[in-house]
Structure formats: structure tokens, C-alpha cells
Amino acid sequence: MKYQEFCKQLIELIGGKENIQSVTNCMTRLRFKLNDRKLAKTEEIKELPDVIDVVSNDVAYQVIIGTQVQDIRPEMNQILGLSGESKKSESAEKEKFITMALRILSESMGPILIPIMAAGLLAGILSLISLTGLVSAESSTYLILDAIRQSVFFFLPVLIAISFARRLEVNEYLAVTIALTLMSDTINGAKGLDFLGLSLPETTYSNSFFPIILSIIFMKYVGKLLEKIMPKALQYFFNPVLILIITLPITLILFGPLGTYIGDGLNFVFDFIGNTFGSWSVVMLYAALQPFLITIGAGNFIIPIFMNSYATLGYDPVFTAAWIISDIAVCGAVMGYFFRSKDKKQKQLFGTTAFSAFMGVTEPAVYGVFVKYRRPYVAVMIGGGLGGLFAGLMKVVGYAPVGLFGLASFIGKDNYQNFYMMLIAVIIGFVGAAIAAFILGIPDDEKVEEKQAEPVEMNAEAVTKLLIKAPVKGKNVALSNVNDKAFSSSALGKGLGIEPEEDLISAPVNGEVVSLFPTNHAIGIKTEYGVEILIHIGINTVELDGKYFETFVKQGDKVSVGDAILKADMAGIRSEGYDPVVITVITNTADYLDVLPSSDSSLNSKEDCLTVVV
């Protein structure tokens, strides 16, 4: 249980176990379905050490974590007592059908992508091995390894059956039975079949996508109906067989052709766009706009579209190339900022998020850089758009849904021209976004300033930010690492801690002393702009009843930056077994756009420790 403490904190901040209906995950985020989203303390969740950001939309309440989410989700389920992935709640409001469909579709795609991406990477590796001549494409070794790739796509309905059955709470084994039956030689692609005299259309179910989804949805409602009308004593014996013999013919008569029509319809739409406007337009637009979609949590909407393309066409003419170009453009944009910035803190942020984007995980860059600085969105629109335009005009297609490291899969069956054009498109996307970001620059209002902020009049609106000095000299401690739950969870506001190296506490701002605890271990100061600052000395030091504390001010006094306001005998506090960490938080954090703590490892009373963005 490596992430046990994190899971417990997240569950508590999200409203407790009783507020969680279900929890799933994709590559980088936990997706919660909650009874009441108002109970979730979003800002405090964002402050948890493993959390990158939180996105709440109609599809799900999403906590972005990173690739370690694969390890966190099982521990989360164990603590919640969920053997599967969901928990029913009678008090939950019924979702709108479209919202529910989007959520289930999005949540079900994540597990399926894992073997598909593995198959795609394997295809790329095999292409390279074949190209070098180490292993012939006709050799048994090559054919055995390639069987993995072929099997993943041929038996795609089985993978879909498992994933969707789990999300819809349908018996997985019955769902797989239906999928395997559809793919049997008797049914799959067979001609001249009829059922009870009713002629059945010729339908190929292997590599298909939509027929099995429709079948499992229907299976769910058949199961519910049988539970109502079948005596409980007979349900165990008869319900499974009845579900199968009812679902199978309906699938053959209705869902097979309907699913085929849906797939063909999607292909027709893209053919129409390609013939009318040019498919390059879609590739260009998606490569340019993908970061916006990620920001609003809608990045997964393309999955059923490109999965259908692979199932029906054997390749994807649009989205695989577009998302790879967009990902590398994100990396390029952040690298442009890396070379532009002279601030060590910013360089560290840009460097780590660029590496993450290069590895195919763009959420840290999008939420950590794009949302904050905004201009990188424009850089990706330029670089990604140019790369997507080139790939579209060159009619680049993807043969497997892989990331940057699976570029070799674009070779397909000796289609080297396709590979070379994709490689050029990737370079265009990276270089174009990097240059654009470098030229666009870092917004001045986000740069670290070296002086106390003064009021700035802008259309009668005062102050855009306020810099707060450190109240004491010492080592910077992240608020999440402070050994006090009320502070570390940010329940009292955002801020930071300082391990003190001196006894004197100074006023961090110009303002008024609005509160002073009788024990003198904590003081509240309010600035003329309404920023409320709490300085709390030590953990549980209220128990000292004022011992080791001395005050130089009283409630109602005006103070200026640097004025001595308190004195604490830090050595004496430590001798009593208490942690003397000096905690500084903005208690009305919710009134402002953000509160940003300093990243410097050590601070003194002449340095800024917090930035309040108004």
C-alpha cells in the first residue's frame, strides 16, 4: 500500500466513501463518479503532493495524477472496498443518457488501449527488425511475434466485451461468450445464414467495434428484465442461458448490421470531409487543438472514431498522426520556454514537463504550463497545425495507435514513404512550436519579481498581485509536508512553512493586526487590499499556553513590512518536543485566482515567500 496515505487524503477531500459511486482510471488520471460534487474540495485536492490538477466536467470528476495512477487505482479500490470498479448509490441522480454514454465510453477505452498500444509498438519494432535484415518477414520468428499484433485487432470484440461489461456491471464471462460466438467460423463473415427462417445479413464481427458494444448494452437490460420476472430460485440456473439465447439472435438480426452502418457512417463522414475540404483539414485542426481538449477533459472522444477506422479500414487516416504531432508540439512549446527563461524555477518546470510530453504524457505540461501561461496554446496551434497540415497533405496514415516511440509502425507493410512523411511532420510540429513559444515569450505578469508589489491602477481595478515577504529566516517547507492536517490539506488556505533559524517573527506585509491568539503563538494580519494572512508558529504549540512566546503588537495595530511582531524561543519550543515550523497561509485563498509559494530552498525576511494573484 505505497499510496495508502494519499488515497485516504483524497477520499476524505472528495467527500468520503459515501460520496463515491465509482472510480476508474486512464493513463494519467482517476475518474470519479460522485453523488454530490459540491462536497469535493477541489482546491485542496489540487494541493495534494501527487496531484497535477483537477478537471470537473459532464463526463467525470477527474483528478490528474500522472502515470503512477496505474498503481494508485487498485489501492483506492481496496480502501473503498470495491471489488470491481463501481458502487451503486440509490441517492445519486440519474445521468442524462448522453452524459452517461460519454462517461462509459471514455472510461471503457482506457483499459483497451493498453494491449492495442503494445501491439502497435511491437509492429514498429518488427518493422525495424525486418528493415535491418536481422529477421526476415517470412521467418517463423517474425510470424510468431506478429501474431500478437494480429490477435489484438482480430479479437478486438473480446477486449471490448470485457471492458464494457465491467463498466455496465454485466457478467464478463457471458459478454465474452457472446463475443466469441460472433467470431466463430459459423457466424463471422458467413453467407446464407438464417434464424427461424429469417435471413441474416453477411456481417464480419472480427476486428469490429460497435456491434459488440450494442450487444452488451442490450444484454444489461435483458438481465435486469429477467431478474424482475424470473423467480429467484430459478435465476441462477436459467438467467445466463436465457440472456445468451435472447441476446445472440437480436445481435445477429439488428446490432450487427446497425453497428456496421455506424462504422460505415463514420468512414463516410471522413471521406466526405476529405473529398470536400481535404482530410488534411481535420488532421491540422486536431493537431492544433488537442491541448484545449485535454484541458477540458475531452481528449478521449476520438478513441471510438479511430478504433472504428482500424477495425474497418485497417488504418487510421486522421487521428493517430494528429495526436502524435500535437504531443511533440506540446514538447516543443515547453522547450521553447525552457530556452527563453532565465529563472531556475521556471527552467526546472519547463524541463520536466517537456520530458514528460516527449514520453507521450502531456497533461503535466498542459496543466502545469499551458493553463498558467496561456501562450503555449498558440505555439501548439502554430507548430502542431503546420505539422498536421503537412501530414494531411502527404496523406499520412497510422497503422497502429501508438505514440512517438512507435513511429516505426508508420512503415506498415513496406510503406516507407508514409514513415518518412510522418517523421518530417513530427519535426515540423516540434520545431514550429518551439520557435513560436520562444518568440511569443513568457507573459510578464507570470515572471518572478524581486520587489514588494505596489498598487497598480488598471481601469480603476487595483492590484494584480501582491508579494508577501517571509516572516522569518529558515528552510522552505511545502505546506503539504507540514505535520498538521488542517494546514497540509490547505483547509485553512494555501501557503507554506518555514523551519526557523531565528527567533524573531517579522510582519510580511503592510497591514493591520486583526487577530492575536492569547497564547501568542499565532497572529492574523489583513492588508489594505483584503488579503488575510495567518502566521502560525509551531505544531500544537497552543498547548504551551504562551510559554516561550512574546508579542510586540496588539490587535488593531498597524504594521509595516519588516516590523518585529512576535518573538518565539525556538530552542525552548524544540526542547518541549514541539515542531516550531512557522506556517504562513492566506486564509481567504478562495477570493483570489491563486496563491503561489516560493520554490527557493531557503528564505529570509527580505525575500518573497508567497505571491497572491488577484
Side-chain angles (χ1 to χ4, degrees):
M1 298 291 285
K2 179 181 178 181
Y3 297 97
Q4 182 177 11
E5 187 61 31
F6 168 77
C7 290
K8 288 182 178 179
Q9 290 178 347
L10 180 55
I11 290 170
E12 180 177 348
L13 292 176
I14 214 165
K17 294 183 180 180
E18 57 280 354
N19 194 37
I20 300 173
Q21 290 187 51
S22 66
V23 55
T24 58
N25 70 277
C26 60
M27 296 295 289
T28 60
R29 65 190 68 191
L30 289 170
R31 296 172 178 269
F32 291 91
K33 183 181 178 185
L34 305 178
N35 292 327
D36 186 355
R37 294 195 185 188
K38 294 180 181 179
L39 298 179
K41 300 177 181 178
T42 300
E43 293 304 316
E44 297 174 32
I45 293 173
K46 291 180 181 180
E47 293 300 308
L48 292 176
D50 285 306
V51 173
I52 296 171
D53 204 348
V54 176
V55 174
S56 180
N57 56 29
D58 289 340
V59 177
Y61 188 87
Q62 305 168 52
V63 180
I64 296 92
I65 294 173
T67 52
Q68 68 268 35
V69 71
Q70 306 289 344
D71 300 320
I72 292 175
R73 218 289 298 284
E75 294 189 20
M76 178 71 70
N77 274 355
Q78 186 172 341
I79 294 173
L80 291 173
L82 300 178
S83 56
E85 297 180 335
S86 63
K87 179 172 62 178
K88 295 181 179 179
S89 174
E90 295 180 357
S91 62
E93 295 182 0
K94 291 185 178 180
E95 292 179 284
K96 294 180 180 178
F97 177 78
I98 295 178
T99 301
M100 180 186 69
L102 288 173
R103 176 179 60 80
I104 293 174
L105 191 62
S106 177
E107 294 173 355
S108 300
M109 289 298 101
I112 298 173
L113 283 179
I114 295 174
I116 291 177
M117 291 179 67
L121 288 173
L122 179 59
I125 294 172
L126 289 175
S127 296
L128 289 176
I129 293 176
S130 175
L131 179 65
T132 58
L134 294 175
V135 177
S136 170
E138 288 75 33
S139 67
S140 296
T141 301
Y142 184 98
L143 295 175
I144 289 172
L145 292 176
D146 191 52
I148 297 176
R149 177 190 61 82
Q150 295 185 41
S151 297
V152 167
F153 289 102
F154 184 85
F155 292 103
L156 181 62
V158 176
L159 300 178
I160 294 173
I162 295 171
S163 186
F164 273 81
R166 288 178 177 175
R167 293 305 309 129
L168 293 175
E169 297 182 341
V170 173
N171 186 289
E172 297 172 36
Y173 300 99
L174 293 179
V176 169
T177 300
I178 287 291
L180 292 174
T181 303
L182 294 174
M183 297 173 62
S184 65
D185 292 338
T186 305
I187 295 175
N188 187 39
K191 299 179 181 180
L193 294 180
D194 69 83
F195 184 78
L196 298 178
L198 182 63
S199 179
L200 300 177
E202 177 186 349
T203 305
T204 301
Y205 291 96
S206 57
N207 300 85
S208 66
F209 187 82
F210 290 107
I212 191 64
I213 293 177
L214 298 173
S215 176
I216 294 170
I217 294 173
F218 180 73
M219 182 184 290
K220 178 181 178 66
Y221 289 101
V222 171
K224 284 186 174 182
L225 178 62
L226 290 175
E227 287 177 0
K228 292 180 179 180
I229 64 176
M230 180 71 67
K232 288 187 177 181
L234 301 177
Q235 287 185 11
Y236 179 82
F237 298 100
F238 292 103
N239 278 19
V241 68
L242 289 174
I243 289 173
L244 291 175
I245 63 176
I246 293 173
T247 303
L248 180 60
I250 297 298
T251 300
L252 297 175
I253 296 169
L254 179 61
F255 299 142
L258 179 59
T260 302
Y261 294 149
I262 293 174
D264 291 343
L266 287 173
N267 293 334
F268 172 79
V269 169
F270 284 102
D271 285 341
F272 175 79
I273 294 174
N275 295 329
T276 306
F277 305 101
S279 59
W280 56 266
S281 61
V282 184
V283 181
M284 178 185 68
L285 287 173
Y286 190 81
L289 300 178
Q290 181 178 243
F292 287 104
L293 298 173
I294 292 175
T295 302
I296 63 176
N300 281 347
F301 90 94
I302 66 167
I303 294 178
I305 300 175
F306 73 70
M307 290 284 283
N308 176 72
S309 296
Y310 283 116
T312 57
L313 303 176
Y315 60 87
D316 170 26
V318 176
F319 291 107
T320 302
W323 96 56
I324 294 175
I325 294 168
S326 183
D327 284 354
I328 198 64
V330 169
C331 176
V334 185
M335 284 302 297
Y337 266 17
F338 176 84
F339 289 114
R340 179 67 182 258
S341 176
K342 296 181 180 179
D343 182 81
K344 291 182 179 180
K345 176 185 175 183
Q346 288 180 333
K347 274 189 174 294
Q348 182 180 9
L349 171 65
F350 300 149
T352 54
T353 54
F355 177 76
S356 177
F358 182 76
M359 299 300 291
V361 181
T362 57
E363 276 89 346
V366 171
Y367 292 108
V369 178
F370 281 49
V371 172
K372 180 178 180 181
Y373 296 102
R374 298 175 296 281
R375 293 181 186 177
Y377 284 113
V378 179
V380 172
M381 290 178 67
I382 295 172
L386 289 173
L389 175 61
F390 180 84
L393 291 175
M394 296 298 105
K395 300 187 182 303
V396 174
V397 299
Y399 294 107
V402 295
L404 182 65
F405 289 94
L407 279 182
S409 66
F410 281 82
I411 296 174
K413 293 184 179 181
D414 300 327
N415 190 355
Y416 295 104
Q417 180 73 12
N418 187 68
F419 169 72
Y420 296 143
M421 294 301 102
M422 181 60 186
L423 190 60
I424 294 173
V426 165
I427 295 173
I428 292 173
F430 178 83
V431 175
I435 294 174
F438 188 89
I439 294 174
L440 290 170
I442 304 171
D444 290 336
D445 62 346
E446 295 291 353
K447 293 181 180 178
V448 177
E449 299 180 18
E450 297 297 331
K451 60 182 181 179
Q452 175 74 19
E454 296 295 333
V456 179
E457 294 297 326
M458 297 179 62
N459 298 326
E461 292 181 10
V463 140
T464 56
K465 68 161 57 174
L466 177 70
L467 301 180
I468 297 172
K469 300 295 184 183
V472 67
K473 179 182 178 181
K475 181 181 178 183
N476 190 344
V477 179
L479 193 62
S480 58
N481 293 332
V482 171
N483 191 26
D484 186 304
K485 191 173 185 179
F487 288 107
S488 64
S489 65
S490 296
L492 298 177
K494 292 184 179 181
L496 82 173
I498 301 175
E499 290 182 6
E501 298 176 1
E502 56 185 21
D503 294 341
L504 196 64
I505 307 298
S506 302
V509 292
N510 300 328
E512 178 185 351
V513 177
V514 292
S515 61
L516 180 64
F517 285 76
T519 56
N520 295 330
H521 76 290
I523 185 171
I525 301 174
K526 185 176 182 178
T527 75
E528 62 179 301
Y529 305 110
V531 180
E532 298 172 4
I533 304 161
L534 172 64
I535 303 172
H536 190 285
I537 305 170
I539 305 298
N540 297 325
T541 47
V542 65
E543 298 171 359
L544 293 173
D545 198 25
K547 185 180 180 181
Y548 304 117
F549 294 96
E550 179 183 1
T551 179
F552 305 118
V553 295
K554 63 183 184 296
Q555 188 169 327
D557 283 356
K558 301 289 186 179
V559 295
S560 300
V561 174
D563 288 350
I565 54 176
L566 292 173
K567 185 177 181 181
D569 183 353
M570 302 301 179
I573 294 172
R574 290 188 179 95
S575 69
E576 296 280 355
Y578 291 88
D579 182 355
V581 61
V582 178
I583 304 165
T584 304
V585 298
I586 308 302
T587 55
N588 59 339
T589 293
D591 294 342
Y592 304 100
L593 293 179
D594 208 350
V595 176
L596 308 173
S598 170
S599 63
D600 294 337
S601 58
S602 60
L603 299 164
N604 60 56
S605 57
K606 295 182 180 180
E607 296 178 323
D608 302 319
C609 70
L610 294 173
T611 300
V612 179
V613 183
V614 179

